[in-house]
Amino acid sequence: TLEYSLHLGDGVIVDKSEPGEPLTYLQGFDQIVPGLEAALEGLEKGATKSVTVSAEEGYGERDEDALQEVGIAEFEGQPIKAGDELLATDEDGEVMPIRIVKIDGDNVTIDLNHPLAGKTLHFSIEVKDVRAATEAELEHGHAHDPHDHHHH
């Protein structure tokens, strides 16, 4: 269980754990970006660490093929403008972030890259707790938070 904050090199925090709601994850199951998971291996409760993760070990490099054009009808009338970030659901029901790059008449250019693709990630982490995984967690491949029954 850890508290973390993330910036991209300029000190501006772009993501962090909520106060009182640290992130619980299962080490070794690829739930967090690989570079961070590797850096956390073997840390004890109370440890603090700053970790710099390359794009390659984080969310991957940007893929220019991930720019696509779709018809404005796909957005079902919701107001959109260039620069908006939306969550879209793909054919498999997986939710993925998309960014509106530009709107040209009825054509909308979207970027399917993860917003953090191509960026070097600077994490500051504090280990709140370390415990052995339960059998159920190992079987399901993710940590179970007692308050949290839905799957992310």
Side-chain angles (χ1 to χ4, degrees):
T1 300
L2 57 111
E3 290 190 345
Y4 71 94
S5 63
L6 166 64
H7 71 89
L8 304 176
D10 54 7
V12 177
I13 303 294
V14 294
D15 186 20
K16 64 181 178 32
S17 51
E18 296 295 328
E21 293 185 24
L23 170 73
T24 298
Y25 80 98
L26 209 50
Q27 179 77 13
F29 278 82
D30 299 331
Q31 291 179 334
I32 54 177
V33 297
L36 182 59
E37 186 169 69
L40 297 177
E41 184 67 53
L43 290 185
E44 298 290 328
K45 180 174 177 171
T48 57
K49 190 167 186 178
S50 293
V51 183
T52 302
V53 177
S54 67
E56 194 182 343
E57 289 283 293
Y59 290 97
E61 297 296 347
R62 279 184 58 79
D63 175 6
E64 291 311 316
D65 292 340
L67 291 175
Q68 295 183 4
E69 276 206 355
V70 297
I72 202 157
E74 297 278 329
F75 295 94
E76 297 170 348
Q78 71 186 79
I80 53 172
K81 60 184 189 306
D84 282 359
E85 290 193 4
L86 312 172
L87 290 174
T89 310
D90 69 14
E91 290 135 23
D92 300 326
E94 293 285 321
V95 174
M96 48 194 243
I98 62 169
R99 199 165 56 82
I100 309 288
V101 180
K102 67 172 196 224
I103 303 172
D104 180 13
D106 288 341
N107 292 329
V108 181
T109 305
I110 59 172
D111 184 351
L112 301 176
N113 281 295
H114 189 282
L116 296 173
K119 307 224 188 284
T120 300
L121 311 173
H122 299 259
F123 288 97
S124 298
I125 56 111
E126 179 182 350
V127 179
K128 286 295 185 188
D129 201 13
V130 178
R131 64 173 170 80
T134 64
E135 282 188 16
E137 287 172 339
L138 291 172
E139 186 184 329
H140 294 134
H142 58 236
H144 290 181
D145 178 328
H147 313 296
D148 182 21
H149 294 292
H150 56 262
H151 288 146
H152 296 301

